[in-house]
Amino acid sequence: MDVILTHEQADMDALASLLGAWLLHPDALPVLPRNINRNGRRFLDKFSDSLPFITFKELPKEPVDTIILVDTQSLITIKGMNEETRIVVYDHHPLREDLDPSWEVHHVRAGSNTSQMVMRIREAGIQLTEIQATALALGLYEDTGAFTYGSTSPVDLEAAGFCLAQGADLDVVGRFLYPPLSPGQRKLYDRLLKNVQTYLIEDQTILAAKADALDVKDEISSVAHKMRDVLNPDALLLLVATQQGIRLVARSTSDQVDVSGIAEMMGGGGHRRAASALVRPEESLDKNGTLRFLDEQFSEMVDKMGAYVSPALTVETIMSKDPLILSPDTPVHEAHRLMQRYGYEGYPVVQEGEVVGLLNRREVDRAISHGLELTVESLMAAGEVTIRQNASLDELQSLMGSSGWGQVPVVSPETGEIVGIVTRTDLLKTLMPTQDLPAQADVAEKLAKAVPPIRLALLRTLASEAAKINLPIFVVGGFVRDLLLDRPSLDFDIVVEGDAIFFANRLSDRFGGRVQTHRRFGTAKWQIENIRKKLAAELPTGSDADPDRLPKSLDLITARTEFYEQPAALPTVESSSIKMDLHRRDFTINTLALRLDGEYYGKIHDYWGGLNDLRKGHIRVLHALSFVDDATRLLRAVRFEQRFDFEIEPRTLALLEESLPLLNKLTGARIRHEINLILAEPKAPQMMARLAELGILSAIHPALPWDETLGHHLYLVDRIKPDPVWEIPDQYGKLSIRQVLGYLVWLGKLPDMTLRSIASRLRFKRELKELLLATSKLNRILPGLVDAPPSQVVQKLEKLPRTALFAVYLINPDEDLRDPLCRFVKEWAQVEPITTGDDLRELGLRPSPAYGEILSALRAAWLDGEIKSAEEEDALLKKLLSKVT
């Protein structure tokens, strides 16, 4: 028989890998370990009837042909094994050096071992049940920290996408991923919280805590997750005394803190962002001895953990890349020429790949002034001074002090090659304190200039009312961003760090108006349209304030945090601080808050680096799962990037590219809404081009087109305004004519079947779909109308929407193609025969289809120049009537 095994204290990754191996090897027996963590046990209690697992007691007493190890490389001895037993390993942990070379090993570098099982399942074409897909997804989410750990790889996300496509229930995943703490875990949580200590190392906040858990039987990782979420440190180190020994649970949210190194130091291991260790005393200890051992281990861990924290700033971050390099035999006049051209103060001198000195401008200037014909070797400061690009700034400062060199060559630690140069000025700029936040007075002045007086008075009044009850209130997001970019808007929401509904009701009691609430989200809408005149009279403005410039309503929002239980789902909401409220937003530049109440009026709050990115022109997500939480952010990233002439920074760009498959999970309506917003932007052509460049358009629908010609067509939508004679409406439902024309010139040349497919994916409204089909049809028939008689042109065009006609006019720059469109709109559409239906009735012709045929023939004759007067029309009419009668 074949047997599938995993490690003890199995987590969901182990159990999911066990299931995955069985799906790949259905004749093998998947055996549950004796010890399973609380999360896995809860899942098995709920779904064991739908899973194939057996226990060791149920294992038949037969010879074992093959043992398949999953999520582990440690083999235990079971009955039935022999020297011929084949060992197969599926694992993602670092390979052990002592691994038996005869074993068949399948290793993957991924955050979860389940990933490789899922990818093999997909390759084999195996279809999953909903429970199987959910169990595999739970293994992926748990071992990657919901894809937030640094070890998470693209294959983890790809595997998750397959599980979702196979029907994984993310509501179930969410319930088991973050279970509530048990009473024992809550007790331990309180103990750790009381003992937590804060260490600041290389600008990283590391929280470390120790506690007695000898009376706690539940696993510790859930406690660590809870503390990390509540305290939000860069790293969390929990050391607890258990019946098995001293257990370390370590979590990191920063690339600078390598908790796997700390765990390895204590005999354990794991990933850079999630690791653990179990330290056993050499001899049996009583409770007091165990707690003393805990204190010793904690002190040792704290003393040594600094070695596993990288500096926040390294030499690489401040150096100038690719410096010019001189050889020792370079003539001084050549060095002088280079210094004049490039302006650098110092040049590394290199011989056979090694730094042998540094030439600075002062020595060159002296040699030139004295007319000396020397080489660089005679002038340089000799020495082999270099610094690694990953060195800290403290190391750099020390090296500059000891060597006296104001410019230091920077070398790669791997190759030793010179990759940059760093100067004393670079270092001083970094070390000098800077005032990052705009002064309150400056911000208040910007507000006064940007906001109409009566709206500013409303803000001031809200601030005053909030200050009376010590309630912090803020304007946040896009309003603050645009204010600081000197392109202010008038729309703002108020975020309340407290109870927004309470505050809205207080305003209503004080000034009037009506309050609508949404208690689930803690939001309130203060309706003031009917009290604007009364409210304006009470605001501190001049007598000439226009009440109509007040908003019809004002949204007040409780500061909240959000949890996405599955990609593209609506969030679960909890009230929170302004800091966490800002953290739920899409990009750092939208996380700025402007406080209004009392003495804080005009104070900018920047918790997430928004100001820095605003100054640098960077679009940056706040966390690695931002696009997973809401894939519409892929389109928004491009919209903001192009609107502000910013740049999507490299890490965000990489996350964006990895998240493209998530667009398949979005509804067409949500994607269409984002495209609507893009088509309303002045830089819509640039935005669409960027969407195409990044593969977003093709990820939405493979037939969505883009090229330079389409960009020019979209550009013309803004540049060529339709003459009133085209009779084009200003609006189609909620879409402006600009947005509608944007769709038509973008998609109007596609074939019918392709258009219908795209319309279905994006859930186009019927009116827009019909306009697109009409545009497509006209594009096909237009070449045949160039030499056609006017009557034929009219017959083809008069039943088509004028908006489609104008779109085709924009699409086709050829004047020969445009001519029939223009002449139809400006001339031919107005041509009608003198004769009417009433005239035909008076002539004794009974109502019949002949009416339309006669009138159409008369109109065609006028259009084609066959008749040119009333007399000629009468003569033709008589001929037509004679044929009818």
Side-chain angles (χ1 to χ4, degrees):
M1 66 179 176
D2 296 341
V3 178
I4 309 171
L5 303 175
T6 189
H7 57 81
E8 292 297 315
Q9 293 297 332
D11 54 10
M12 277 308 304
D13 188 32
L15 296 179
S17 296
L18 204 64
L19 173 63
W22 175 79
L23 289 165
L24 293 167
H25 306 277
D27 294 331
L29 299 176
V31 184
L32 289 171
R34 294 176 177 84
N35 296 302
I36 300 170
N37 74 10
R38 176 169 170 255
N39 213 18
R41 181 57 62 193
R42 287 175 64 242
F43 188 82
L44 291 175
D45 290 344
K46 180 78 173 177
F47 298 109
S48 59
D49 291 345
S50 302
L51 298 169
F53 304 139
I54 65 170
T55 65
F56 276 103
K57 290 181 179 179
E58 297 169 315
L59 192 63
K61 297 179 179 179
E62 299 177 9
V64 179
D65 298 320
T66 302
I67 291 180
I68 301 170
L69 296 176
V70 293
D71 200 36
T72 183
Q73 298 161 42
S74 298
L75 177 65
I76 61 170
T77 302
I78 63 173
K79 290 182 178 180
M81 286 177 58
N82 55 63
E83 292 182 357
E84 301 300 321
T85 299
R86 174 171 163 255
I87 309 298
V88 180
V89 176
Y90 294 93
D91 196 19
H92 71 129
H93 296 100
L95 291 176
R96 288 169 41 181
E97 294 181 0
D98 60 347
L99 209 60
D100 191 323
S102 67
W103 289 6
E104 179 184 328
V105 178
H106 303 277
H107 183 262
V108 64
R109 297 187 61 151
S112 166
N113 189 61
T114 305
S115 296
Q116 71 162 318
M117 314 309 294
V118 170
M119 299 311 289
R120 293 174 187 276
I121 288 167
R122 186 178 74 171
E123 290 169 8
I126 299 171
Q127 296 298 305
L128 304 176
T129 66
E130 182 178 322
I131 295 301
Q132 290 169 350
T134 301
L136 293 168
L138 188 50
L140 293 166
Y141 275 77
E142 185 183 78
D143 225 38
T144 61
F147 309 108
T148 61
Y149 296 159
S151 57
T152 302
S153 71
V155 73
D156 295 308
L157 291 170
E158 191 174 353
F162 175 76
C163 291
L164 294 175
Q166 291 285 305
D169 188 337
L170 288 183
D171 288 334
V172 174
V173 171
R175 288 199 300 274
F176 285 94
L177 191 61
Y178 302 112
L181 298 182
S182 68
Q185 288 173 324
R186 172 58 67 178
K187 187 189 303 181
L188 177 59
Y189 175 89
D190 292 338
R191 291 173 186 169
L192 288 165
L193 206 58
K194 289 179 182 177
N195 293 325
V196 71
Q197 298 178 34
T198 302
Y199 300 89
L200 190 64
I201 304 174
E202 298 288 0
D203 291 327
Q204 297 294 288
T205 300
I206 300 174
L207 301 184
K210 61 183 177 180
D212 174 5
L214 293 170
D215 57 343
V216 178
K217 296 182 179 180
D218 296 320
E219 44 84 24
I220 313 299
S221 59
S222 294
V223 178
H225 281 290
K226 183 69 174 177
M227 290 189 70
R228 184 193 65 184
D229 292 343
V230 170
L231 302 176
N232 195 29
D234 295 305
L236 177 70
L237 305 175
L238 301 182
L239 210 59
V240 297
T242 70
Q243 295 293 343
Q244 296 78 34
I246 306 302
R247 187 172 296 279
L248 167 71
V249 178
R251 298 291 184 264
S252 171
T253 59
S254 167
D255 289 334
Q256 289 179 237
V257 186
D258 178 12
V259 294
S260 66
I262 298 173
E264 288 170 9
M265 172 187 73
M266 303 183 72
H271 310 296
R272 288 185 64 88
R273 296 204 178 194
S276 62
L278 180 62
V279 185
R280 300 180 189 273
E282 295 180 357
E283 57 185 20
S284 179
L285 300 174
D286 59 15
K287 179 177 181 179
N288 290 334
T290 299
L291 295 181
R292 283 195 298 272
F293 187 56
L294 171 66
D295 291 340
E296 293 169 3
Q297 293 298 315
F298 185 83
S299 297
E300 184 177 354
M301 178 188 72
V302 169
D303 289 343
K304 296 181 178 179
M305 67 185 179
Y308 303 96
V309 183
S310 303
L313 282 177
T314 63
V315 169
E316 183 178 19
T317 60
I318 65 171
M319 73 180 188
S320 299
K321 295 181 179 179
D322 302 321
L324 290 172
I325 295 172
L326 301 176
S327 63
D329 58 358
T330 302
V332 68
H333 61 80
E334 174 62 13
H336 184 255
R337 185 186 67 82
L338 291 172
M339 287 181 171
Q340 285 186 317
R341 172 175 291 185
Y342 297 107
Y344 299 140
E345 294 294 321
Y347 287 75
V349 183
V350 177
Q351 188 172 37
E352 297 180 353
E354 298 291 331
V355 174
V356 295
L358 180 79
L359 179 70
N360 61 54
R361 179 185 288 270
R362 182 179 57 185
E363 302 304 327
V364 172
D365 287 343
R366 284 179 178 175
I368 294 295
S369 66
H370 291 294
L372 301 177
E373 294 292 334
L374 301 174
T375 62
V376 164
E377 185 174 20
S378 302
L379 297 171
M380 70 183 188
E384 300 176 0
V385 179
T386 62
I387 192 163
R388 295 168 290 106
Q389 65 190 102
N390 59 351
S392 70
L393 299 191
D394 286 341
E395 290 179 66
L396 175 62
Q397 188 173 3
S398 175
L399 180 63
M400 285 183 168
S402 62
S403 68
W405 285 24
Q407 298 88 25
V408 178
V410 182
V411 298
S412 165
E414 290 82 18
T415 66
E417 295 179 358
I418 295 178
V419 294
I421 191 165
V422 61
T423 70
R424 188 177 285 113
T425 301
D426 295 329
L427 180 62
L428 289 173
K429 284 181 179 178
T430 306
L431 297 178
M432 287 178 61
T434 57
Q435 180 59 41
D436 289 327
L437 297 178
Q440 283 182 233
D442 293 340
V443 176
E445 185 179 352
K446 278 181 177 287
L447 267 177
K449 291 178 179 178
V451 181
I454 194 164
R455 290 202 177 203
L456 185 66
L458 177 61
L459 275 180
R460 284 285 196 181
T461 299
L462 293 173
S464 176
E465 291 297 316
K468 291 177 183 177
I469 52 174
N470 296 316
L471 189 68
I473 65 170
F474 306 81
V475 182
V476 301
F479 177 89
V480 184
R481 174 200 69 213
D482 292 345
L483 181 71
L484 296 178
L485 288 174
D486 293 319
R487 43 193 304 169
S489 60
L490 294 181
D491 295 325
F492 52 81
D493 297 333
I494 302 297
V495 173
V496 179
E497 199 172 43
D499 190 343
I501 296 175
F502 165 79
F503 187 52
N505 286 325
R506 179 181 173 91
L507 293 172
S508 177
D509 292 342
R510 169 73 174 81
F511 300 103
R514 186 167 52 89
V515 175
Q516 293 176 313
T517 63
H518 196 313
R519 293 200 174 273
R520 178 189 170 194
F521 291 100
T523 61
K525 185 181 288 290
W526 183 29
Q527 300 281 2
I528 59 176
E529 182 177 9
N530 296 330
I531 64 161
R532 285 191 288 188
K533 187 172 182 180
K534 172 179 175 292
L535 181 59
E538 297 191 45
L539 296 177
T541 58
S543 58
D544 59 344
D546 181 5
D548 290 336
R549 300 205 68 179
L550 284 171
K552 294 180 180 180
S553 62
L554 191 66
D555 288 317
L556 297 110
I557 302 162
T558 299
R560 61 187 193 256
T561 188
E562 296 177 344
F563 306 92
Y564 288 84
E565 295 182 355
Q566 59 179 301
L570 292 174
T572 300
V573 175
E574 291 181 6
S575 61
S576 185
S577 64
I578 186 65
K579 179 179 180 180
M580 295 311 297
D581 181 274
L582 296 171
H583 187 262
R584 68 186 175 85
R585 297 172 191 274
D586 48 11
F587 307 107
T588 57
I589 61 170
N590 295 329
T591 63
L592 299 169
L594 192 165
R595 191 164 176 179
L596 297 175
D597 53 292
E599 63 183 291
Y600 303 104
Y601 184 85
K603 182 177 180 180
I604 294 292
H605 287 245
D606 176 24
Y607 298 103
W608 307 109
L611 270 173
N612 191 42
D613 284 333
L614 204 62
R615 289 163 179 159
K616 289 183 176 179
H618 284 173
I619 303 296
R620 185 193 309 273
V621 290
L622 277 77
H623 55 86
L625 281 185
S626 182
F627 293 126
V628 177
D629 286 345
D630 185 358
T632 61
R633 290 172 178 171
L634 276 75
L635 288 90
R636 260 180 274 157
V638 170
R639 179 155 55 90
F640 288 131
E641 178 193 50
Q642 298 301 311
R643 179 198 290 176
F644 300 123
D645 288 325
F646 281 7
E647 180 182 15
I648 300 173
E649 61 89 31
R651 173 62 173 154
T652 298
L653 189 60
L655 292 171
L656 182 152
E657 291 168 350
E658 293 171 3
S659 302
L660 289 175
L662 295 174
L663 289 167
N664 291 325
K665 303 296 293 183
L666 287 178
T667 64
R670 293 189 68 195
I671 295 175
R672 186 188 71 241
H673 175 71
E674 294 297 327
I675 295 175
N676 289 346
L677 294 175
I678 286 173
L679 292 177
E681 292 269 353
K683 291 187 176 180
Q686 294 91 323
M687 294 175 186
M688 298 298 290
R690 184 68 161 144
L691 290 177
E693 177 189 348
L694 295 176
I696 294 174
L697 290 184
S698 58
I700 294 170
H701 192 288
L704 283 175
W706 193 257
D707 55 32
E708 289 185 9
T709 301
L710 290 175
H712 181 66
H713 294 164
L714 198 52
Y715 167 83
L716 293 179
V717 170
D718 269 341
R719 295 301 177 271
I720 301 179
K721 302 301 180 185
D723 189 285
V725 73
W726 288 87
E727 299 178 353
I728 294 177
D730 293 329
Q731 202 83 11
Y732 279 85
K734 294 183 179 180
L735 291 181
S736 68
I737 187 59
R738 177 187 187 184
Q739 291 167 305
V740 171
L741 286 172
Y743 276 114
L744 299 187
V745 301
W746 173 30
L747 304 174
K749 281 196 170 184
L750 295 176
D752 274 16
M753 291 299 294
T754 304
L755 273 179
R756 292 180 190 277
S757 175
I758 291 172
S760 175
R761 173 68 183 99
L762 297 180
R763 312 296 295 174
F764 284 154
K765 303 291 185 183
R766 180 179 58 83
E767 193 169 32
L768 178 58
K769 178 180 174 182
E770 290 176 354
L771 280 171
L772 282 165
L773 292 172
T775 304
S776 175
K777 176 182 177 181
L778 180 52
N779 266 310
R780 290 197 305 274
I781 66 172
L782 184 59
L785 300 180
V786 172
D787 297 320
S791 59
Q792 186 179 336
V793 175
V794 171
Q795 181 188 12
K796 296 290 186 182
L797 300 187
E798 64 182 354
K799 293 182 180 179
L800 296 176
R802 292 294 183 91
T803 304
L805 267 63
F806 186 69
V808 173
Y809 172 85
L810 294 175
I811 290 171
N812 293 280
D814 189 329
E815 292 301 328
D816 289 337
L817 293 174
R818 285 181 167 184
D819 184 67
L821 298 172
C822 292
R823 295 198 69 184
F824 167 75
V825 170
K826 297 178 180 180
E827 303 173 32
W828 299 336
Q830 285 75 45
V831 173
E832 295 290 344
I834 299 169
T835 304
T836 66
D838 291 338
D839 295 331
L840 295 178
R841 189 164 48 252
E842 289 178 8
L843 292 171
L845 185 65
R846 297 178 63 183
S848 69
Y851 271 46
E853 294 170 1
I854 292 171
L855 293 175
S856 294
L858 293 174
R859 187 187 187 198
W862 277 103
L863 286 166
D864 296 338
E866 297 172 0
I867 58 176
K868 298 180 180 178
S869 65
E871 292 78 9
E872 290 177 348
E873 179 176 319
D874 285 339
L876 179 57
L877 177 60
K878 289 175 183 179
K879 287 182 182 180
L880 296 172
L881 288 172
S882 66
K883 293 178 182 180
V884 174
T885 57

